[in-house]
Protein backbone atom coordinates (compact mmCIF):
# COMPACT_ATOMS: atom_id res chain seq x y z
CA UNK A 1 0.00 0.00 0.00
CA UNK A 2 1.17 3.56 -0.70
CA UNK A 3 1.29 6.12 2.10
CA UNK A 4 -1.37 8.82 2.16
CA UNK A 5 -0.18 12.06 0.56
CA UNK A 6 2.13 14.28 2.61
CA UNK A 7 4.31 17.30 1.95
CA UNK A 8 8.03 16.59 2.21
CA UNK A 9 10.33 19.26 3.69
CA UNK A 10 14.09 18.95 3.33
CA UNK A 11 15.80 21.47 5.65
CA UNK A 12 19.58 21.87 5.43
CA UNK A 13 20.14 23.15 8.98
CA UNK A 14 19.00 22.10 12.43
CA UNK A 15 17.39 25.52 12.97
CA UNK A 16 15.30 25.15 9.82
CA UNK A 17 14.25 21.61 10.77
CA UNK A 18 13.11 22.80 14.19
CA UNK A 19 11.36 25.79 12.64
CA UNK A 20 9.33 23.48 10.36
CA UNK A 21 8.33 21.44 13.42
CA UNK A 22 7.32 24.61 15.29
CA UNK A 23 5.06 25.60 12.35
CA UNK A 24 3.47 22.21 11.57
CA UNK A 25 3.38 20.73 15.11
CA UNK A 26 1.49 17.44 15.54
CA UNK A 27 0.69 17.29 11.82
CA UNK A 28 4.37 16.66 11.12
CA UNK A 29 7.04 14.11 11.93
CA UNK A 30 10.77 13.68 11.42
CA UNK A 31 12.20 11.28 8.85
CA UNK A 32 15.71 9.84 9.15
CA UNK A 33 16.40 6.59 7.27
CA UNK A 34 12.71 5.73 7.00
CA UNK A 35 13.18 2.02 7.78
CA UNK A 36 10.51 2.15 10.48
CA UNK A 37 8.60 5.31 9.59
CA UNK A 38 7.89 4.47 5.96
CA UNK A 39 6.57 1.02 6.88
CA UNK A 40 4.15 2.62 9.34
CA UNK A 41 3.09 5.30 6.82
CA UNK A 42 2.56 2.74 4.06
CA UNK A 43 0.50 0.53 6.38
CA UNK A 44 -1.41 3.71 7.31
CA UNK A 45 -0.82 3.00 10.99
CA UNK A 46 0.55 6.56 11.11
CA UNK A 47 -0.41 9.57 9.06
CA UNK A 48 1.19 13.02 8.88
CA UNK A 49 0.48 15.89 6.48
CA UNK A 50 4.12 17.02 6.69
CA UNK A 51 7.29 14.94 6.85
CA UNK A 52 10.52 16.72 7.78
CA UNK A 53 13.47 14.85 6.29
CA UNK A 54 16.58 15.33 8.45
CA UNK A 55 19.07 13.74 6.06
CA UNK A 56 20.28 17.05 4.58
CA UNK A 57 21.34 18.45 7.98
CA UNK A 58 25.14 17.88 8.03
CA UNK A 59 25.68 18.39 11.77
CA UNK A 60 23.35 15.48 12.54
CA UNK A 61 25.65 13.05 10.71
CA UNK A 62 28.95 14.07 12.32
CA UNK A 63 30.96 11.73 14.58
CA UNK A 64 33.70 13.53 16.52
CA UNK A 65 35.66 13.63 19.75
CA UNK A 66 35.33 16.52 22.18
CA UNK A 67 38.36 17.86 24.06
CA UNK A 68 37.13 16.20 27.28
CA UNK A 69 37.18 12.80 25.55
CA UNK A 70 33.42 12.56 24.95
CA UNK A 71 32.59 10.75 21.72
CA UNK A 72 29.73 12.56 19.98
CA UNK A 73 27.74 10.50 17.48
CA UNK A 74 25.33 12.51 15.33
CA UNK A 75 21.85 11.00 15.55
CA UNK A 76 21.59 10.64 11.75
CA UNK A 77 24.68 8.39 11.65
CA UNK A 78 23.69 5.08 10.12
CA UNK A 79 24.58 1.79 11.79
CA UNK A 80 26.91 1.14 8.85
CA UNK A 81 28.70 4.50 9.23
CA UNK A 82 29.14 3.91 12.97
CA UNK A 83 30.56 0.43 12.41
CA UNK A 84 33.09 1.84 9.91
CA UNK A 85 34.01 4.99 11.82
CA UNK A 86 37.71 5.03 12.88
CA UNK A 87 36.97 6.84 16.18
CA UNK A 88 34.26 4.36 17.18
CA UNK A 89 36.46 1.43 16.13
CA UNK A 90 39.37 2.75 18.21
CA UNK A 91 37.51 3.92 21.32
CA UNK A 92 34.52 1.56 21.41
CA UNK A 93 35.32 -1.57 19.39
CA UNK A 94 32.51 -3.44 21.13
CA UNK A 95 30.00 -0.85 19.93
CA UNK A 96 31.43 -0.86 16.39
CA UNK A 97 30.97 -4.65 16.36
CA UNK A 98 27.36 -4.31 17.58
CA UNK A 99 26.60 -1.79 14.81
CA UNK A 100 28.08 -4.13 12.21
CA UNK A 101 25.65 -6.86 13.27
CA UNK A 102 22.38 -4.88 13.37
CA UNK A 103 19.70 -6.42 11.14
CA UNK A 104 20.94 -6.79 7.56
CA UNK A 105 23.01 -4.62 5.23
CA UNK A 106 19.94 -2.85 3.77
CA UNK A 107 18.79 -1.75 7.22
CA UNK A 108 22.33 -0.85 8.33
CA UNK A 109 23.03 1.51 5.41
CA UNK A 110 19.69 3.35 5.73
CA UNK A 111 18.73 2.99 9.41
CA UNK A 112 20.13 5.52 11.83
CA UNK A 113 21.07 5.41 15.49
CA UNK A 114 18.66 8.25 16.24
CA UNK A 115 15.88 6.38 14.46
CA UNK A 116 16.24 3.20 16.48
CA UNK A 117 16.40 5.18 19.73
CA UNK A 118 13.42 7.42 18.98
CA UNK A 119 11.22 4.65 17.56
CA UNK A 120 11.85 2.67 20.77
CA UNK A 121 10.89 -0.77 19.53
CA UNK A 122 12.36 -2.70 22.50
CA UNK A 123 13.93 -5.46 20.38
CA UNK A 124 16.93 -3.37 19.47
CA UNK A 125 20.65 -3.56 20.20
CA UNK A 126 22.09 -0.07 20.59
CA UNK A 127 19.97 1.12 23.58
CA UNK A 128 21.36 -1.62 25.83
CA UNK A 129 24.96 -0.84 24.99
CA UNK A 130 24.46 2.92 25.29
CA UNK A 131 23.00 2.47 28.78
CA UNK A 132 25.99 0.32 29.80
CA UNK A 133 28.30 3.05 28.46
CA UNK A 134 26.45 5.78 30.44
CA UNK A 135 25.70 7.65 27.23
CA UNK A 136 23.68 10.87 27.18
CA UNK A 137 21.06 11.98 24.67
CA UNK A 138 21.33 15.54 23.32
CA UNK A 139 17.92 16.91 22.33
CA UNK A 140 16.95 20.23 20.76
CA UNK A 141 13.67 22.00 20.16
CA UNK A 142 12.93 25.44 18.73
CA UNK A 143 14.85 27.74 21.09
CA UNK A 144 16.05 25.22 23.69
CA UNK A 145 18.32 22.24 24.21
CA UNK A 146 18.86 19.63 26.91
CA UNK A 147 20.70 16.38 27.53
CA UNK A 148 19.55 13.45 29.58
CA UNK A 149 21.08 10.11 30.53
CA UNK A 150 20.36 7.20 28.24
CA UNK A 151 18.77 5.31 31.13
CA UNK A 152 16.18 8.09 31.54
CA UNK A 153 15.49 8.41 27.81
CA UNK A 154 13.87 4.98 27.44
CA UNK A 155 10.45 4.93 29.11
CA UNK A 156 8.76 1.85 27.62
CA UNK A 157 7.72 0.16 24.38
CA UNK A 158 7.59 2.83 21.65
CA UNK A 159 7.88 5.50 24.35
CA UNK A 160 10.79 7.80 25.16
CA UNK A 161 11.37 10.99 27.13
CA UNK A 162 11.75 12.93 23.84
CA UNK A 163 9.09 15.61 23.51
CA UNK A 164 7.16 15.58 20.25
CA UNK A 165 8.82 18.83 19.10
CA UNK A 166 12.38 17.71 19.92
CA UNK A 167 15.04 16.39 17.56
CA UNK A 168 17.53 13.90 18.94
CA UNK A 169 20.68 15.67 17.83
CA UNK A 170 23.48 13.44 19.10
CA UNK A 171 24.42 10.61 21.40
CA UNK A 172 27.28 11.54 23.73
CA UNK A 173 29.43 8.70 25.07
CA UNK A 174 31.66 9.85 27.96
CA UNK A 175 35.27 8.68 28.26
CA UNK A 176 35.23 5.19 29.75
CA UNK A 177 37.22 4.26 32.90
CA UNK A 178 40.90 3.39 32.35
CA UNK A 179 41.37 0.02 30.70
CA UNK A 180 37.62 -0.46 30.20
CA UNK A 181 36.56 -3.07 27.67
CA UNK A 182 33.05 -3.42 26.32
CA UNK A 183 31.17 -6.23 24.63
CA UNK A 184 27.61 -6.95 23.51
CA UNK A 185 26.09 -10.35 22.86
CA UNK A 186 22.56 -11.04 21.61
CA UNK A 187 20.39 -13.84 20.29
CA UNK A 188 17.06 -14.07 18.55
CA UNK A 189 14.96 -16.20 16.21
CA UNK A 190 13.58 -13.25 14.25
CA UNK A 191 15.46 -10.40 12.57
CA UNK A 192 15.55 -8.58 15.89
CA UNK A 193 17.16 -9.65 19.18
CA UNK A 194 15.08 -11.64 21.68
CA UNK A 195 17.60 -10.67 24.35
CA UNK A 196 20.85 -8.69 24.33
CA UNK A 197 23.39 -8.13 27.10
CA UNK A 198 26.02 -5.39 27.22
CA UNK A 199 29.02 -5.39 29.55
CA UNK A 200 31.60 -2.68 30.18
CA UNK A 201 34.31 -3.77 32.55
CA UNK A 202 37.24 -1.78 33.84
CA UNK A 203 39.83 -3.74 35.84
CA UNK A 204 42.46 -1.01 36.16
CA UNK A 205 42.16 0.94 39.41
CA UNK A 206 38.85 0.29 41.17
CA UNK A 207 37.02 -2.56 39.39
CA UNK A 208 33.78 -1.46 37.75
CA UNK A 209 31.31 -3.58 35.83
CA UNK A 210 28.37 -2.01 34.02
CA UNK A 211 26.00 -4.82 32.99
CA UNK A 212 22.67 -4.27 31.22
CA UNK A 213 20.10 -6.55 29.62
CA UNK A 214 17.94 -5.36 26.72
CA UNK A 215 14.92 -6.44 24.65
CA UNK A 216 13.71 -8.65 27.51
CA UNK A 217 11.48 -5.89 28.93
CA UNK A 218 10.20 -2.63 27.43
CA UNK A 219 13.43 -0.79 28.31
CA UNK A 220 17.04 -1.82 28.93
CA UNK A 221 17.55 -2.83 32.55
CA UNK A 222 20.68 -2.82 34.72
CA UNK A 223 21.74 -5.90 36.70
CA UNK A 224 22.91 -4.12 39.88
CA UNK A 225 23.47 -7.18 42.10
CA UNK A 226 25.83 -8.78 39.59
CA UNK A 227 27.53 -5.43 39.10
CA UNK A 228 28.07 -5.04 42.86
CA UNK A 229 29.38 -8.61 43.17
CA UNK A 230 31.84 -7.99 40.34
CA UNK A 231 33.02 -4.70 41.80
CA UNK A 232 33.79 -6.46 45.12
CA UNK A 233 35.96 -9.20 43.57
CA UNK A 234 39.71 -9.26 44.20
CA UNK A 235 41.51 -7.63 41.27
CA UNK A 236 43.81 -10.57 40.51
CA UNK A 237 41.23 -13.37 40.02
CA UNK A 238 41.57 -15.39 36.80
CA UNK A 239 38.60 -15.10 34.37
CA UNK A 240 37.23 -18.62 35.05
CA UNK A 241 37.13 -17.96 38.80
CA UNK A 242 35.47 -14.60 38.20
CA UNK A 243 32.66 -16.28 36.32
CA UNK A 244 32.30 -19.05 38.97
CA UNK A 245 31.68 -16.37 41.59
CA UNK A 246 29.34 -14.22 39.49
CA UNK A 247 27.20 -17.02 38.00
CA UNK A 248 25.03 -17.74 41.11
CA UNK A 249 24.45 -14.03 41.73
CA UNK A 250 23.40 -13.48 38.13
CA UNK A 251 21.17 -16.59 38.12
CA UNK A 252 19.26 -15.28 41.16
CA UNK A 253 19.01 -11.78 39.70
CA UNK A 254 17.95 -12.95 36.22
CA UNK A 255 15.19 -15.13 37.74
CA UNK A 256 13.47 -11.95 38.97
CA UNK A 257 13.47 -10.06 35.64
CA UNK A 258 9.81 -9.30 34.75
CA UNK A 259 10.02 -10.92 31.31
CA UNK A 260 6.92 -12.10 29.45
CA UNK A 261 6.16 -14.73 26.81
CA UNK A 262 5.94 -13.41 23.26
CA UNK A 263 6.94 -14.38 19.72
CA UNK A 264 10.60 -13.94 20.68
CA UNK A 265 10.38 -16.76 23.26
CA UNK A 266 9.06 -17.76 26.66
CA UNK A 267 9.90 -15.69 29.73
CA UNK A 268 12.01 -18.42 31.36
CA UNK A 269 13.87 -19.00 28.10
CA UNK A 270 14.70 -15.30 27.88
CA UNK A 271 15.87 -15.20 31.52
CA UNK A 272 18.14 -18.14 30.74
CA UNK A 273 19.46 -16.28 27.68
CA UNK A 274 20.41 -13.35 29.90
CA UNK A 275 22.76 -15.63 31.84
CA UNK A 276 24.31 -17.21 28.75
CA UNK A 277 24.79 -13.88 26.99
CA UNK A 278 26.10 -12.14 30.13
CA UNK A 279 28.74 -14.85 30.51
CA UNK A 280 29.79 -14.40 26.88
CA UNK A 281 29.87 -10.60 27.13
CA UNK A 282 31.85 -10.67 30.37
CA UNK A 283 34.30 -13.24 29.02
CA UNK A 284 34.78 -11.09 25.92
CA UNK A 285 35.69 -8.16 28.18
CA UNK A 286 38.16 -10.25 30.16
CA UNK A 287 40.08 -11.89 27.30
C1 LIG B 1 13.88 -5.77 8.97
C2 LIG B 1 14.43 -5.02 10.15
C3 LIG B 1 15.30 -5.65 11.01
C4 LIG B 1 15.82 -4.96 12.11
N1 LIG B 1 16.67 -5.60 12.95
C5 LIG B 1 17.26 -4.89 13.96
C6 LIG B 1 18.22 -5.51 14.82
O1 LIG B 1 18.59 -6.66 14.67
N2 LIG B 1 18.75 -4.75 15.81
C7 LIG B 1 18.40 -3.43 15.98
O2 LIG B 1 18.91 -2.80 16.88
N3 LIG B 1 17.50 -2.83 15.19
C8 LIG B 1 16.93 -3.53 14.19
N4 LIG B 1 16.02 -2.93 13.38
C9 LIG B 1 15.65 -1.54 13.66
C10 LIG B 1 16.56 -0.56 12.92
O3 LIG B 1 17.73 -0.38 13.70
C11 LIG B 1 15.77 0.71 12.77
O4 LIG B 1 14.74 0.42 11.81
C12 LIG B 1 16.53 1.91 12.26
O5 LIG B 1 17.71 2.19 12.95
C13 LIG B 1 15.61 3.12 12.40
O6 LIG B 1 16.28 4.24 11.93
P1 LIG B 1 15.67 5.12 10.76
O7 LIG B 1 16.67 6.20 10.51
O8 LIG B 1 15.29 4.32 9.58
O9 LIG B 1 14.39 5.69 11.49
P2 LIG B 1 13.05 6.28 10.83
O10 LIG B 1 12.21 5.17 10.34
O11 LIG B 1 13.37 7.38 9.87
O12 LIG B 1 12.38 6.96 12.11
C14 LIG B 1 11.88 6.15 13.17
C15 LIG B 1 11.15 7.07 14.16
O13 LIG B 1 12.07 7.89 14.86
C16 LIG B 1 11.82 9.27 14.63
N5 LIG B 1 13.14 9.89 14.46
C17 LIG B 1 14.15 9.40 13.70
N6 LIG B 1 15.26 10.14 13.88
C18 LIG B 1 14.93 11.11 14.76
C19 LIG B 1 15.68 12.18 15.37
N7 LIG B 1 16.99 12.38 15.10
N8 LIG B 1 15.05 12.99 16.23
C20 LIG B 1 13.74 12.78 16.52
N9 LIG B 1 12.98 11.79 16.00
C21 LIG B 1 13.59 10.96 15.12
C22 LIG B 1 10.95 9.35 13.38
O14 LIG B 1 10.09 10.46 13.41
C23 LIG B 1 10.17 8.03 13.50
O15 LIG B 1 9.07 8.20 14.36
C24 LIG B 1 15.48 -3.59 12.30
C25 LIG B 1 14.62 -2.96 11.40
C26 LIG B 1 14.10 -3.65 10.33
C27 LIG B 1 13.18 -2.93 9.38
Amino acid sequence: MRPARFELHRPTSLEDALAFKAVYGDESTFHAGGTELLVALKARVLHYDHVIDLKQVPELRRIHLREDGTLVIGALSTHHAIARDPLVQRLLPGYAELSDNVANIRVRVAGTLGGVLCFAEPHADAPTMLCALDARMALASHGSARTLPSRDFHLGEFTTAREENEILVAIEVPPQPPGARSAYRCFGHTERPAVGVAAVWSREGPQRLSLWAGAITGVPIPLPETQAAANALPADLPPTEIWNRLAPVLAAEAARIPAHDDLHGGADYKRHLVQVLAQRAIEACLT
Side-chain angles (χ1 to χ4, degrees):
M1 193 190 288
R2 284 167 178 268
R5 288 184 72 83
F6 56 79
E7 192 175 343
L8 181 65
H9 306 275
R10 308 193 82 191
T12 54
S13 71
L14 185 59
E15 292 69 30
D16 287 353
L18 292 168
F20 276 123
K21 187 67 183 167
V23 170
Y24 296 117
D26 290 348
E27 292 172 2
S28 66
T29 192
F30 299 115
H31 173 280
T35 57
E36 303 283 20
L37 181 67
L38 288 180
V39 175
L41 293 178
K42 283 180 183 170
R44 307 212 174 185
V45 175
L46 295 175
H47 169 72
Y48 297 96
D49 292 331
H50 300 269
V51 172
I52 304 164
D53 183 4
L54 300 175
K55 285 204 298 292
Q56 310 299 317
V57 180
E59 64 206 89
L60 294 177
R61 308 180 78 95
R62 201 167 153 233
I63 301 178
H64 68 283
L65 199 58
R66 282 205 194 122
E67 273 183 17
D68 67 357
T70 300
L71 180 65
V72 182
I73 303 174
L76 267 275
S77 304
T78 63
H79 302 297
H80 183 73
I82 293 169
R84 296 286 175 278
D85 186 83
L87 275 174
V88 181
Q89 288 181 344
R90 176 164 62 82
L91 297 171
L92 301 172
Y95 182 46
E97 184 186 5
L98 175 158
S99 303
D100 210 22
N101 287 313
V102 166
N104 54 58
I105 187 65
R106 290 176 66 190
V107 172
R108 285 197 294 278
V109 295
T112 65
L113 177 56
V116 75
L117 295 170
C118 293
F119 195 63
E121 139 71 82
H123 295 93
D125 299 298
T128 314
M129 185 60 137
L130 293 173
C131 284
L133 290 166
D134 267 335
R136 295 180 68 82
M137 306 291 156
L139 297 150
S141 57
H142 198 49
S144 73
R146 62 176 178 141
T147 63
L148 74 167
S150 196
R151 62 186 69 205
D152 297 337
F153 182 79
H154 307 285
L155 298 183
E157 293 189 10
F158 303 102
T159 313
T160 71
R162 182 182 71 86
E163 297 292 339
E164 177 52 33
N165 63 343
E166 287 180 313
I167 290 178
L168 177 60
V169 175
I171 296 82
E172 303 176 351
V173 184
Q176 298 301 300
R181 302 195 53 182
S182 58
Y184 175 80
R185 295 292 181 267
C186 66
F187 186 76
H189 303 288
T190 71
E191 283 182 289
R192 299 173 196 244
V195 175
V197 175
V200 182
W201 198 330
S202 168
R203 298 188 75 199
E204 285 176 22
Q207 292 211 92
R208 181 179 178 271
L209 173 66
S210 176
L211 187 67
W212 285 70
I216 189 165
T217 65
V219 296
I221 50 167
L223 296 164
E225 291 167 28
T226 312
Q227 290 175 166
N231 297 347
L233 290 174
D236 52 357
L237 277 186
T240 47
E241 185 55 25
I242 288 178
W243 181 247
N244 288 342
R245 297 207 193 176
L246 293 185
V249 183
L250 179 60
E253 189 166 32
R256 294 194 300 275
I257 295 176
H260 56 265
D261 301 344
D262 61 15
L263 64 85
H264 296 275
D268 285 343
Y269 167 73
K270 289 191 259 183
R271 292 189 194 102
H272 175 71
L273 272 184
V274 168
Q275 297 171 64
V276 173
L277 297 169
Q279 179 176 7
R280 291 181 186 174
I282 287 172
E283 284 176 353
C285 291
L286 295 175
T287 52

